[in-house]
Amino acid sequence: MAMFAVEYTYSDATAAARDEHRPKHRAWLSGLVEDGRVRATGPWTDGSGALILLDVADEAAARDLMAQDPFAPRGRGDAVRITAWTPVMGAFSG
């Protein structure tokens, strides 16, 4: 398995749509936490976006998974960045 950092960027223009669909988004994420594909997730404290740490087979799997996010097809965020990440120390290393 490989780790990927998924960064969502938000703006005021998409806030109402995010608020409307956030329960579905969080329910979706909760299932992924339960099955181990999401290791951690949460919004930036300034409201500018969020971070999701994925543990999946490869980048294609990360992109396929994120395409299923209830936020994704509805344009609830302004940008999504998926980056391979190698944790060296701490809770996610090993």
Side-chain angles (χ1 to χ4, degrees):
M1 299 301 261
M3 295 287 291
F4 291 86
V6 179
E7 184 177 0
Y8 281 7
T9 303
Y10 302 149
S11 72
D12 291 342
T14 56
R18 282 193 318 278
D19 290 346
E20 178 184 348
H21 294 279
R22 184 169 286 114
K24 290 178 187 173
H25 168 72
R26 287 195 173 163
W28 176 76
L29 285 171
S30 179
L32 296 175
V33 168
E34 288 177 18
D35 73 18
R37 289 183 285 174
V38 168
R39 301 284 302 271
T41 184
W44 301 132
T45 59
D46 66 1
S48 67
L51 178 67
I52 303 168
L53 294 179
L54 300 179
D55 193 352
V56 295
D58 54 30
E59 185 174 345
R63 292 192 181 283
D64 289 346
L65 185 61
M66 296 315 297
Q68 298 171 36
D69 185 344
F71 275 6
R74 296 169 185 88
R76 306 308 179 225
D78 296 291
V80 178
R81 179 177 175 211
I82 300 174
T83 307
W85 181 54
T86 304
V88 177
M89 293 182 221
F92 301 109
S93 65

